[in-house]
mmCIF file with all atom_site columns, all heavy atoms in Angstrom:
data_model
loop_
_atom_site.group_PDB
_atom_site.id
_atom_site.type_symbol
_atom_site.label_atom_id
_atom_site.label_alt_id
_atom_site.label_comp_id
_atom_site.label_asym_id
_atom_site.label_entity_id
_atom_site.label_seq_id
_atom_site.pdbx_PDB_ins_code
_atom_site.Cartn_x
_atom_site.Cartn_y
_atom_site.Cartn_z
_atom_site.occupancy
_atom_site.B_iso_or_equiv
_atom_site.pdbx_formal_charge
_atom_site.auth_seq_id
_atom_site.auth_comp_id
_atom_site.auth_asym_id
_atom_site.auth_atom_id
_atom_site.pdbx_PDB_model_num
ATOM 1   N N   . ILE A 1 354 ? 60.005 -205.101 -100.598 1.00 94.00 ? 382 ILE A N   1
ATOM 2   C CA  . ILE A 1 354 ? 61.282 -205.507 -100.014 1.00 94.00 ? 382 ILE A CA  1
ATOM 3   C C   . ILE A 1 354 ? 62.425 -205.175 -100.963 1.00 94.00 ? 382 ILE A C   1
ATOM 4   O O   . ILE A 1 354 ? 63.474 -204.669 -100.553 1.00 94.00 ? 382 ILE A O   1
ATOM 5   C CB  . ILE A 1 354 ? 61.260 -207.007 -99.670  1.00 94.00 ? 382 ILE A CB  1
ATOM 6   C CG1 . ILE A 1 354 ? 60.284 -207.272 -98.517  1.00 94.00 ? 382 ILE A CG1 1
ATOM 7   C CG2 . ILE A 1 354 ? 62.656 -207.505 -99.301  1.00 94.00 ? 382 ILE A CG2 1
ATOM 8   C CD1 . ILE A 1 354 ? 60.077 -208.731 -98.214  1.00 94.00 ? 382 ILE A CD1 1
ATOM 9   N N   . ALA A 1 355 ? 62.222 -205.447 -102.257 1.00 94.00 ? 383 ALA A N   1
ATOM 10  C CA  . ALA A 1 355 ? 63.257 -205.133 -103.255 1.00 94.00 ? 383 ALA A CA  1
ATOM 11  C C   . ALA A 1 355 ? 63.531 -203.636 -103.294 1.00 94.00 ? 383 ALA A C   1
ATOM 12  O O   . ALA A 1 355 ? 64.689 -203.202 -103.422 1.00 94.00 ? 383 ALA A O   1
ATOM 13  C CB  . ALA A 1 355 ? 62.822 -205.638 -104.628 1.00 94.00 ? 383 ALA A CB  1
ATOM 14  N N   . GLN A 1 356 ? 62.490 -202.824 -103.170 1.00 93.00 ? 384 GLN A N   1
ATOM 15  C CA  . GLN A 1 356 ? 62.659 -201.372 -103.163 1.00 93.00 ? 384 GLN A CA  1
ATOM 16  C C   . GLN A 1 356 ? 63.448 -200.927 -101.933 1.00 93.00 ? 384 GLN A C   1
ATOM 17  O O   . GLN A 1 356 ? 64.312 -200.047 -102.021 1.00 93.00 ? 384 GLN A O   1
ATOM 18  C CB  . GLN A 1 356 ? 61.294 -200.695 -103.182 1.00 93.00 ? 384 GLN A CB  1
ATOM 19  C CG  . GLN A 1 356 ? 60.520 -200.873 -104.481 1.00 93.00 ? 384 GLN A CG  1
ATOM 20  C CD  . GLN A 1 356 ? 59.113 -200.301 -104.389 1.00 93.00 ? 384 GLN A CD  1
ATOM 21  O OE1 . GLN A 1 356 ? 58.750 -199.659 -103.414 1.00 93.00 ? 384 GLN A OE1 1
ATOM 22  N NE2 . GLN A 1 356 ? 58.321 -200.554 -105.412 1.00 93.00 ? 384 GLN A NE2 1
ATOM 23  N N   . LYS A 1 357 ? 63.166 -201.546 -100.817 1.00 93.00 ? 385 LYS A N   1
ATOM 24  C CA  . LYS A 1 357 ? 63.889 -201.212 -99.590  1.00 93.00 ? 385 LYS A CA  1
ATOM 25  C C   . LYS A 1 357 ? 65.361 -201.592 -99.706  1.00 93.00 ? 385 LYS A C   1
ATOM 26  O O   . LYS A 1 357 ? 66.243 -200.844 -99.256  1.00 93.00 ? 385 LYS A O   1
ATOM 27  C CB  . LYS A 1 357 ? 63.261 -201.920 -98.383  1.00 93.00 ? 385 LYS A CB  1
ATOM 28  C CG  . LYS A 1 357 ? 61.948 -201.324 -97.913  1.00 93.00 ? 385 LYS A CG  1
ATOM 29  C CD  . LYS A 1 357 ? 61.528 -201.961 -96.602  1.00 93.00 ? 385 LYS A CD  1
ATOM 30  C CE  . LYS A 1 357 ? 60.344 -201.235 -96.002  1.00 93.00 ? 385 LYS A CE  1
ATOM 31  N NZ  . LYS A 1 357 ? 60.020 -201.706 -94.640  1.00 93.00 ? 385 LYS A NZ  1
ATOM 32  N N   . GLU A 1 358 ? 65.630 -202.745 -100.271 1.00 94.00 ? 386 GLU A N   1
ATOM 33  C CA  . GLU A 1 358 ? 67.017 -203.176 -100.444 1.00 94.00 ? 386 GLU A CA  1
ATOM 34  C C   . GLU A 1 358 ? 67.781 -202.201 -101.333 1.00 94.00 ? 386 GLU A C   1
ATOM 35  O O   . GLU A 1 358 ? 68.929 -201.841 -101.038 1.00 94.00 ? 386 GLU A O   1
ATOM 36  C CB  . GLU A 1 358 ? 67.066 -204.584 -101.035 1.00 94.00 ? 386 GLU A CB  1
ATOM 37  C CG  . GLU A 1 358 ? 66.647 -205.683 -100.068 1.00 94.00 ? 386 GLU A CG  1
ATOM 38  C CD  . GLU A 1 358 ? 66.798 -207.058 -100.666 1.00 94.00 ? 386 GLU A CD  1
ATOM 39  O OE1 . GLU A 1 358 ? 66.580 -207.193 -101.894 1.00 94.00 ? 386 GLU A OE1 1
ATOM 40  O OE2 . GLU A 1 358 ? 67.107 -208.010 -99.926  1.00 94.00 ? 386 GLU A OE2 1
ATOM 41  N N   . LYS A 1 359 ? 67.147 -201.767 -102.404 1.00 92.00 ? 387 LYS A N   1
ATOM 42  C CA  . LYS A 1 359 ? 67.795 -200.830 -103.321 1.00 92.00 ? 387 LYS A CA  1
ATOM 43  C C   . LYS A 1 359 ? 68.039 -199.489 -102.650 1.00 92.00 ? 387 LYS A C   1
ATOM 44  O O   . LYS A 1 359 ? 69.103 -198.862 -102.833 1.00 92.00 ? 387 LYS A O   1
ATOM 45  C CB  . LYS A 1 359 ? 66.933 -200.657 -104.571 1.00 92.00 ? 387 LYS A CB  1
ATOM 46  C CG  . LYS A 1 359 ? 67.566 -199.747 -105.616 1.00 92.00 ? 387 LYS A CG  1
ATOM 47  C CD  . LYS A 1 359 ? 66.690 -199.670 -106.870 1.00 92.00 ? 387 LYS A CD  1
ATOM 48  C CE  . LYS A 1 359 ? 67.310 -198.760 -107.916 1.00 92.00 ? 387 LYS A CE  1
ATOM 49  N NZ  . LYS A 1 359 ? 66.461 -198.680 -109.138 1.00 92.00 ? 387 LYS A NZ  1
ATOM 50  N N   . ALA A 1 360 ? 67.070 -199.045 -101.862 1.00 91.00 ? 388 ALA A N   1
ATOM 51  C CA  . ALA A 1 360 ? 67.174 -197.724 -101.240 1.00 91.00 ? 388 ALA A CA  1
ATOM 52  C C   . ALA A 1 360 ? 68.196 -197.700 -100.111 1.00 91.00 ? 388 ALA A C   1
ATOM 53  O O   . ALA A 1 360 ? 68.853 -196.679 -99.879  1.00 91.00 ? 388 ALA A O   1
ATOM 54  C CB  . ALA A 1 360 ? 65.807 -197.294 -100.705 1.00 91.00 ? 388 ALA A CB  1
ATOM 55  N N   . THR A 1 361 ? 68.349 -198.810 -99.401  1.00 91.00 ? 389 THR A N   1
ATOM 56  C CA  . THR A 1 361 ? 69.208 -198.828 -98.219  1.00 91.00 ? 389 THR A CA  1
ATOM 57  C C   . THR A 1 361 ? 70.558 -199.501 -98.453  1.00 91.00 ? 389 THR A C   1
ATOM 58  O O   . THR A 1 361 ? 71.492 -199.303 -97.667  1.00 91.00 ? 389 THR A O   1
ATOM 59  C CB  . THR A 1 361 ? 68.511 -199.566 -97.061  1.00 91.00 ? 389 THR A CB  1
ATOM 60  O OG1 . THR A 1 361 ? 68.303 -200.941 -97.433  1.00 91.00 ? 389 THR A OG1 1
ATOM 61  C CG2 . THR A 1 361 ? 67.181 -198.912 -96.720  1.00 91.00 ? 389 THR A CG2 1
ATOM 62  N N   . GLY A 1 362 ? 70.666 -200.304 -99.513  1.00 90.00 ? 390 GLY A N   1
ATOM 63  C CA  . GLY A 1 362 ? 71.881 -201.071 -99.737  1.00 90.00 ? 390 GLY A CA  1
ATOM 64  C C   . GLY A 1 362 ? 72.012 -202.233 -98.782  1.00 90.00 ? 390 GLY A C   1
ATOM 65  O O   . GLY A 1 362 ? 73.082 -202.844 -98.661  1.00 90.00 ? 390 GLY A O   1
ATOM 66  N N   . PHE A 1 363 ? 70.929 -202.571 -98.110  1.00 90.00 ? 391 PHE A N   1
ATOM 67  C CA  . PHE A 1 363 ? 70.909 -203.639 -97.129  1.00 90.00 ? 391 PHE A CA  1
ATOM 68  C C   . PHE A 1 363 ? 70.221 -204.876 -97.693  1.00 90.00 ? 391 PHE A C   1
ATOM 69  O O   . PHE A 1 363 ? 69.177 -204.771 -98.345  1.00 90.00 ? 391 PHE A O   1
ATOM 70  C CB  . PHE A 1 363 ? 70.136 -203.183 -95.872  1.00 90.00 ? 391 PHE A CB  1
ATOM 71  C CG  . PHE A 1 363 ? 70.993 -202.984 -94.668  1.00 90.00 ? 391 PHE A CG  1
ATOM 72  C CD1 . PHE A 1 363 ? 71.994 -202.045 -94.668  1.00 90.00 ? 391 PHE A CD1 1
ATOM 73  C CD2 . PHE A 1 363 ? 70.793 -203.736 -93.523  1.00 90.00 ? 391 PHE A CD2 1
ATOM 74  C CE1 . PHE A 1 363 ? 72.784 -201.845 -93.555  1.00 90.00 ? 391 PHE A CE1 1
ATOM 75  C CE2 . PHE A 1 363 ? 71.574 -203.542 -92.402  1.00 90.00 ? 391 PHE A CE2 1
ATOM 76  C CZ  . PHE A 1 363 ? 72.582 -202.586 -92.424  1.00 90.00 ? 391 PHE A CZ  1
ATOM 77  N N   . LYS A 1 364 ? 70.780 -206.043 -97.445  1.00 95.00 ? 392 LYS A N   1
ATOM 78  C CA  . LYS A 1 364 ? 70.107 -207.291 -97.765  1.00 95.00 ? 392 LYS A CA  1
ATOM 79  C C   . LYS A 1 364 ? 69.028 -207.519 -96.719  1.00 95.00 ? 392 LYS A C   1
ATOM 80  O O   . LYS A 1 364 ? 69.283 -207.433 -95.506  1.00 95.00 ? 392 LYS A O   1
ATOM 81  C CB  . LYS A 1 364 ? 71.104 -208.461 -97.749  1.00 95.00 ? 392 LYS A CB  1
ATOM 82  C CG  . LYS A 1 364 ? 70.467 -209.819 -97.979  1.00 95.00 ? 392 LYS A CG  1
ATOM 83  C CD  . LYS A 1 364 ? 69.887 -209.938 -99.381  1.00 95.00 ? 392 LYS A CD  1
ATOM 84  C CE  . LYS A 1 364 ? 69.299 -211.337 -99.604  1.00 95.00 ? 392 LYS A CE  1
ATOM 85  N NZ  . LYS A 1 364 ? 68.656 -211.447 -100.936 1.00 95.00 ? 392 LYS A NZ  1
ATOM 86  N N   . ILE A 1 365 ? 67.802 -207.779 -97.169  1.00 96.00 ? 393 ILE A N   1
ATOM 87  C CA  . ILE A 1 365 ? 66.686 -207.973 -96.255  1.00 96.00 ? 393 ILE A CA  1
ATOM 88  C C   . ILE A 1 365 ? 66.251 -209.443 -96.295  1.00 96.00 ? 393 ILE A C   1
ATOM 89  O O   . ILE A 1 365 ? 65.981 -209.996 -97.362  1.00 96.00 ? 393 ILE A O   1
ATOM 90  C CB  . ILE A 1 365 ? 65.512 -207.049 -96.600  1.00 96.00 ? 393 ILE A CB  1
ATOM 91  C CG1 . ILE A 1 365 ? 65.955 -205.582 -96.442  1.00 96.00 ? 393 ILE A CG1 1
ATOM 92  C CG2 . ILE A 1 365 ? 64.309 -207.339 -95.714  1.00 96.00 ? 393 ILE A CG2 1
ATOM 93  C CD1 . ILE A 1 365 ? 64.886 -204.571 -96.812  1.00 96.00 ? 393 ILE A CD1 1
ATOM 94  N N   . ARG A 1 366 ? 66.197 -210.046 -95.127  1.00 94.00 ? 394 ARG A N   1
ATOM 95  C CA  . ARG A 1 366 ? 65.910 -211.476 -95.012  1.00 94.00 ? 394 ARG A CA  1
ATOM 96  C C   . ARG A 1 366 ? 64.481 -211.679 -94.517  1.00 94.00 ? 394 ARG A C   1
ATOM 97  O O   . ARG A 1 366 ? 64.105 -211.187 -93.453  1.00 94.00 ? 394 ARG A O   1
ATOM 98  C CB  . ARG A 1 366 ? 66.915 -212.111 -94.051  1.00 94.00 ? 394 ARG A CB  1
ATOM 99  C CG  . ARG A 1 366 ? 66.696 -213.579 -93.749  1.00 94.00 ? 394 ARG A CG  1
ATOM 100 C CD  . ARG A 1 366 ? 67.886 -214.115 -92.955  1.00 94.00 ? 394 ARG A CD  1
ATOM 101 N NE  . ARG A 1 366 ? 68.160 -213.309 -91.779  1.00 94.00 ? 394 ARG A NE  1
ATOM 102 C CZ  . ARG A 1 366 ? 67.628 -213.534 -90.571  1.00 94.00 ? 394 ARG A CZ  1
ATOM 103 N NH1 . ARG A 1 366 ? 66.763 -214.517 -90.404  1.00 94.00 ? 394 ARG A NH1 1
ATOM 104 N NH2 . ARG A 1 366 ? 67.957 -212.762 -89.547  1.00 94.00 ? 394 ARG A NH2 1
ATOM 105 N N   . LYS A 1 367 ? 63.693 -212.410 -95.306  1.00 94.00 ? 395 LYS A N   1
ATOM 106 C CA  . LYS A 1 367 ? 62.331 -212.723 -94.892  1.00 94.00 ? 395 LYS A CA  1
ATOM 107 C C   . LYS A 1 367 ? 62.348 -213.881 -93.893  1.00 94.00 ? 395 LYS A C   1
ATOM 108 O O   . LYS A 1 367 ? 63.160 -214.797 -93.995  1.00 94.00 ? 395 LYS A O   1
ATOM 109 C CB  . LYS A 1 367 ? 61.474 -213.104 -96.103  1.00 94.00 ? 395 LYS A CB  1
ATOM 110 C CG  . LYS A 1 367 ? 61.228 -211.969 -97.068  1.00 94.00 ? 395 LYS A CG  1
ATOM 111 C CD  . LYS A 1 367 ? 60.475 -212.435 -98.304  1.00 94.00 ? 395 LYS A CD  1
ATOM 112 C CE  . LYS A 1 367 ? 59.088 -212.957 -97.965  1.00 94.00 ? 395 LYS A CE  1
ATOM 113 N NZ  . LYS A 1 367 ? 58.315 -213.297 -99.182  1.00 94.00 ? 395 LYS A NZ  1
#
Side-chain angles (χ1 to χ4, degrees):
I382 292 173
Q384 292 174 7
K385 285 189 171 188
E386 288 184 326
K387 183 177 180 180
T389 63
F391 249 62
K392 176 66 178 177
I393 297 178
R394 176 171 53 91
K395 293 175 63 175

